[in-house]
Amino acid sequence: MALSPQWLDELRARITLSTLIGRTVRVQKAGREFKACCPFHDEKTPSFTINDAKGFYHCFGCGAHGDAIRWMTDHQGMGFMDAVKDLAVEAGMEVPAPDPVAAQKAEKRASLIDVTDAAQSWFYGNLRGSAGVAARSYLDRRGFSQQVIEEFGFGYAPGDRQGLKSALAKFDEEMRIEAGMRIVVDGKEPYDRFRDRLMLPIQDARGRVIGFGGRILDADANPNAPKYLNSPETPLFDKGRTLYNLHRAAPAARQSGRIVVVEGYMDVIALANAGIGEAVAPLGTALTEQQIELLWRHVERPILCFDGDKAGQRAAMRAVTRALPLLRPAHSLGIVRMPEGVDPDDLLKEQGRDALEELLGNANSLLDTLWIVERDAAPLNSPEDKAGLKARLIAHTNDIQDPDIRALYRRELLERFSNFAFPPREQRQWTPRQQGGGGKWQKGGFKPAAPRLSPEAAANLRRITSGGSRDSLAAAVISGLARFPDQIIRHEDALLDFAARDKNVGKAIDSLIEAAETLDSRDQSPISAELGLPAPPDLSRYTFLDEGTDPVDAREELAEAVSLLVERPALEAALTAATSRFEQDPEGSMEEQAQLRKRLLLLDERLKQFGRKKAIADQDNNSTPTAENLSADERKDGLTQIDGH
C-alpha cells in the first residue's frame, strides 16, 4: 500500500493532537500549547509539551518527539499501518486502497483471526470445565495468581484428535488448517495440532490472537512429544517478527523504562506473577534482527535475561552477534548472566523478586559480554591462543556498520586485550650504574630517562610537517602520542594500519610504538624530545597539545584525532577497490563508490569541525553563550531539535 506524503500530511492536519494524547494523559493548557507530565519517563514537573498548530509533541526531559502517528506507534504500541488506519477512521478519511493481491491477503488475515479467536474461546472454556482439572492443578503448582491466569488467557486443549474440528465447525477445514490449528497428512484425515496441552494465546501488537503455544501436561504418556509446541508459520503468525507479550509489555515499559527479554512464555508469566510486567520472549527461535529493531522502538537498551545453562548463554551470544551490525548511537543491549543452571523462574521461586531485580540492575553491556565470552571461550596459554582472541574480537567489530561505534568498540576491546595479554611489567630497581640511557636522582630514588625518538624518526616528522593539512594532523597526532605515550598501545592496531597505507609517517609510527613498548603501562611520562622532536604544527588547532587541557579530556581528543587520521586512507583504498570492480559489477561498483564518496565528504566536515573545537572552547571561556553568539546554522540546528522540521 502506497501512502503519499500529501495524504499523510492531510491525516496529521485533521487530528487534534492534544485531544488524542489527552485520552490517556492528563494535559493542561499553557498559552498556545498544552503541557503534561511526560508519559515516556517518570517526572513530577511537566516537561512534555503539545503544539496543535505544528502537530507535534516534545519532551524537554527525555527528548521524546513525534506526531500523531508516532504517538500511536510509540505510546500505544501499534504498527505503522494499524496506527494510520485508526487515525484515518477518526479523521474521516479513506485509506488508499491496496492492490488486489494485498487486499486479498488482508481479507484472508481477517478471516483467519476469526478462526484463532474462536479457538481461544474454546480453549479458555475447556480450562474452566471438567476437562481442565489437570491443567488447573499444574497452574496451582506453578503458583500463578488467578489474576495472571485470566490476564494471559490460559486455556486447555483436550486430547481428542478431532475436538477442535467439532468446536470450530462453522469454519471450513481449509481455514482451520491455514490458521495452524489442524495438521494435514497426505492420505489421512487432518487432526488437531494441540492435544492435551495447557494453551496460551500468542497476540500481535494490537492484542489480536494470531497463534498459540501449548505446554504438554503428561510427558510420561507422550515421551516423544515436545515439551512446548507453537503454531507454525501462517499468514497471521511470523515467528521471527513476533515477540510474545509485547502488547502488554510496551505500556509497562513506558513506566519502568526497560523491557526484559526472557527465553520463553512461561518465564514471561513468572515475571508478571512477581510484578514485573515488561517482559517479552521470542517464540522458539533465537532473537532475530527484526525482533531487536522491534524492541528498540520501545526502549534503547533491552535487557536479555536468558537461562543460565549453556543453551541460554549461546542464545544470548547469538542475539549479541545479530545486534552488532544494527548498532546505532544510544541503542544497544544489556545482558544478564544468570547463575549456571538457573532460569528467571527458578530465581524468583528461590530468592524472590529482589534477587532478580539486582541482576537486571547490573546487566552487562554488549561490549562487556563480547569481551567476557570471547576471553573465556578457549584456553589462552600460548601466543597463538592470544592471537586467536584478538582476531575474534576484531572480527566482531568488523560486523558493526556504524563507523563511530565500530571505532569505539575496536579501541576499547583492543585496549582490554592489550592489558590482558601484556600485563604491567614489574618495576625495575635502577642504580646509577644502570643508567645507560641517562636519568636523574629524585626523591625516592633514581628515575631513568624517558625513551627517546630516534634521529631518523624525528627527521621524518620534520619532513611531514611541511605538507598539507592532513600531514599537519599526522604530525599533531604523533606529537600528542609522544606527550601521552600510554595511548600509543591503545591505538596500536589503527596506527599500524595507517602506517602501512602512508609510508611518509610509517617509520615515525614504528619508532613511537617501539618506544612505548619499553614503558611500564602505568608510566605517563612524555617521550623525550631531546633529539629534535619537531614542535607541533599548530597548537591553536589541537586541544590535546595544549598544556592547559585536562589530561583526561586531552586523551579523548587525541583518540578522536587518531580516528580522523586513519579513516581517510582506509576510505580512499576502499574507493580505489570499488572503482576497480566496475567492469565486473557496474551497478554495485557505482553504488559503493557513491557511499564511499559520501563518507569522505562527511569525514571532511568532521575534520573541519574538529579544527574549530579549540577556538570554540576559547570563546566559551571568554563569553557566555547567547543567541547572538550562535551562527545562523547553529541557531537553525537548535530550532530543528525542538520543532522537528
Side-chain angles (χ1 to χ4, degrees):
M1 181 185 296
L3 299 176
S4 69
Q6 294 80 8
W7 189 90
L8 290 172
D9 286 342
E10 177 66 19
L11 176 64
R12 296 183 184 100
R14 291 194 187 189
I15 298 295
T16 303
L17 189 58
S18 61
T19 301
L20 178 67
I21 295 175
R23 290 171 188 158
T24 52
V25 177
R26 183 180 177 183
V27 301
Q28 295 177 322
K29 184 75 172 173
R32 297 182 179 179
E33 299 182 335
F34 290 82
K35 66 179 181 179
C37 287
C38 181
F40 296 102
H41 78 287
D42 292 330
E43 64 176 4
K44 296 181 180 179
T45 303
S47 61
F48 183 84
T49 62
I50 307 162
N51 189 315
D52 284 333
K54 295 182 178 179
F56 70 81
Y57 60 83
H58 182 82
C59 177
F60 291 91
C62 69
H65 186 95
D67 56 16
I69 299 172
R70 187 69 177 268
W71 172 260
M72 300 293 279
T73 59
D74 287 6
H75 187 265
Q76 305 296 335
M78 300 175 68
F80 176 80
M81 281 308 304
D82 291 333
V84 167
K85 289 175 182 177
D86 278 17
L87 291 172
V89 170
E90 181 172 341
M93 295 176 64
E94 289 269 345
V95 178
D99 62 76
V101 175
Q104 187 177 8
K105 288 183 178 179
E107 185 177 352
K108 179 179 287 186
R109 281 178 56 86
S111 299
L112 294 180
I113 283 176
D114 291 337
V115 177
T116 54
D117 220 22
Q120 166 59 12
S121 297
W122 185 62
F123 293 144
Y124 181 89
N126 289 338
L127 178 66
R128 287 144 187 86
S130 58
V133 173
R136 293 197 300 271
S137 176
Y138 170 81
L139 291 172
D140 288 340
R141 292 195 302 273
R142 290 296 298 258
F144 294 149
S145 69
Q146 191 60 37
Q147 178 184 344
V148 164
I149 291 172
E150 291 294 323
E151 181 182 0
F152 283 86
F154 277 101
Y156 173 66
D160 185 354
R161 293 169 64 91
Q162 303 300 328
L164 186 134
K165 177 182 178 181
S166 302
L168 273 63
K170 66 178 181 179
F171 301 104
D172 61 45
E173 188 73 290
E174 183 182 352
M175 290 183 69
R176 292 192 293 262
I177 292 169
E178 194 164 9
M181 306 309 303
R182 302 264 287 167
I183 295 175
V184 61
V185 179
D186 291 341
K188 296 183 180 180
E189 182 183 5
Y191 58 92
D192 294 354
R193 180 178 301 278
F194 301 103
R195 302 182 308 281
D196 193 24
R197 288 180 179 270
L198 182 71
M199 299 298 294
L200 276 168
I202 297 169
Q203 292 154 292
D204 65 10
R206 298 175 68 181
R208 299 175 301 181
V209 178
I210 57 175
F212 292 91
R215 189 197 188 282
I216 197 165
L217 289 173
D218 190 353
D220 294 334
N222 301 279
N224 296 322
K227 183 178 179 180
Y228 292 100
L229 180 66
N230 291 334
S231 290
E233 298 275 335
T234 71
L236 292 178
F237 181 43
D238 183 339
K239 293 181 182 180
R241 297 177 182 272
T242 304
L243 285 166
Y244 177 73
N245 196 49
L246 183 62
H247 68 295
R248 279 181 289 259
R254 286 189 283 275
Q255 299 302 317
S256 66
R258 71 180 181 190
I259 285 183
V260 181
V261 186
V262 292
E263 277 195 61
Y265 33 73
M266 297 307 286
D267 288 325
V268 169
I269 297 165
L271 265 66
N273 198 55
I276 302 174
E278 61 273 18
V280 299
L283 291 151
T285 62
L287 202 63
T288 65
E289 292 85 353
Q290 294 85 356
Q291 288 168 334
I292 293 169
E293 291 286 2
L294 191 57
L295 289 165
W296 280 343
R297 285 177 53 186
H298 299 281
V299 296
E300 293 181 343
R301 187 175 178 263
I303 301 173
L304 309 190
C305 186
F306 293 166
D307 296 355
D309 57 14
K310 291 182 178 179
Q313 295 311 305
R314 285 197 300 270
M317 192 58 189
R318 283 198 297 272
V320 166
T321 55
R322 286 179 174 176
L324 287 173
L326 310 176
L327 292 179
R328 53 182 181 266
H331 290 75
S332 189
L333 300 175
I335 295 92
V336 169
R337 288 183 67 88
M338 294 290 294
E340 187 173 354
V342 175
D343 62 28
D345 188 19
D346 295 332
L347 189 67
L348 287 169
K349 288 177 181 176
E350 295 168 7
Q351 300 182 42
R353 176 175 172 173
D354 288 347
L356 182 59
E357 288 284 6
E358 183 177 355
L359 288 176
L360 295 174
N362 293 284
N364 287 331
S365 68
L366 194 152
L367 187 145
D368 287 337
T369 300
L370 266 183
W371 167 250
I372 293 168
V373 169
E374 292 298 359
R375 182 197 63 194
D376 299 342
L380 298 170
N381 301 322
S382 68
E384 293 82 1
D385 295 337
K386 293 177 181 178
L389 169 60
K390 184 176 182 180
R392 293 195 301 274
L393 295 174
I394 292 174
H396 284 308
T397 64
N398 288 340
D399 290 335
I400 300 173
Q401 299 300 306
D402 186 284
D404 291 330
I405 296 176
R406 181 173 61 245
L408 291 167
Y409 263 65
R410 188 182 181 96
R411 183 185 307 153
E412 176 67 23
L413 287 171
L414 290 179
E415 183 172 355
R416 293 189 187 194
F417 172 79
S418 296
N419 293 335
F420 175 77
F422 310 107
R425 300 179 177 89
E426 292 184 8
Q427 293 282 4
R428 298 177 181 178
Q429 299 299 315
W430 290 82
T431 69
R433 292 184 180 181
Q434 294 174 311
Q435 61 173 300
K440 60 183 179 180
W441 286 98
Q442 292 184 347
K443 183 177 180 181
F446 180 84
K447 180 176 179 62
R452 304 181 180 192
L453 289 174
S454 68
E456 182 183 1
N460 186 271
L461 282 174
R462 281 192 293 273
R463 284 194 299 273
I464 69 169
T465 55
S466 62
S469 61
R470 198 172 89 204
D471 286 338
S472 174
L473 177 62
V477 165
I478 292 175
S479 297
L481 292 170
R483 183 182 174 207
F484 300 109
D486 58 313
Q487 300 297 291
I488 297 173
I489 298 302
R490 175 183 179 185
H491 302 294
E492 176 183 8
D493 209 62
L495 291 169
L496 287 174
D497 185 61
F498 175 70
R501 298 179 189 277
D502 193 330
K503 303 300 183 183
N504 197 31
V505 296
K507 291 182 179 180
I509 288 176
D510 290 341
S511 299
L512 277 175
I513 292 173
E514 183 179 352
E517 289 175 346
T518 69
L519 289 172
D520 185 283
S521 64
R522 294 162 295 187
D523 189 3
Q524 298 182 358
S525 302
I527 294 175
S528 172
E530 291 177 7
L531 290 183
L533 184 66
D538 185 357
L539 280 171
S540 67
R541 292 190 64 197
Y542 307 107
T543 58
F544 57 83
L545 297 177
D546 191 333
E547 294 289 342
T549 303
D550 178 82
V552 174
D553 294 339
R555 285 176 170 83
E556 287 307 309
E557 287 288 316
L558 176 58
E560 185 177 353
V562 171
S563 175
L564 291 169
L565 178 68
V566 304
E567 191 170 350
R568 174 172 283 279
L571 289 175
E572 289 173 342
L575 182 60
T576 300
T579 304
S580 68
R581 291 194 297 273
F582 180 79
E583 291 186 3
Q584 292 80 19
D585 180 17
E587 186 176 344
S589 172
M590 291 299 293
E591 182 179 353
E592 187 174 356
Q593 287 181 56
Q595 291 175 349
L596 289 168
R597 289 193 176 95
K598 181 178 179 181
R599 289 177 62 183
L600 281 166
L601 289 173
L602 291 173
L603 178 64
D604 287 339
E605 186 58 32
R606 286 173 59 199
L607 280 165
K608 293 176 185 176
Q609 294 296 330
F610 186 74
R612 296 173 187 155
K613 281 186 177 180
K614 190 171 189 299
I616 293 172
D618 290 343
Q619 179 180 343
D620 288 345
N621 289 334
N622 295 322
S623 64
T624 301
T626 65
E628 288 75 13
N629 294 136
L630 298 176
S631 68
D633 287 341
E634 289 167 328
R635 289 197 297 273
K636 181 180 177 183
D637 287 344
L639 292 173
T640 299
Q641 289 181 355
I642 297 175
D643 287 350
H645 296 304

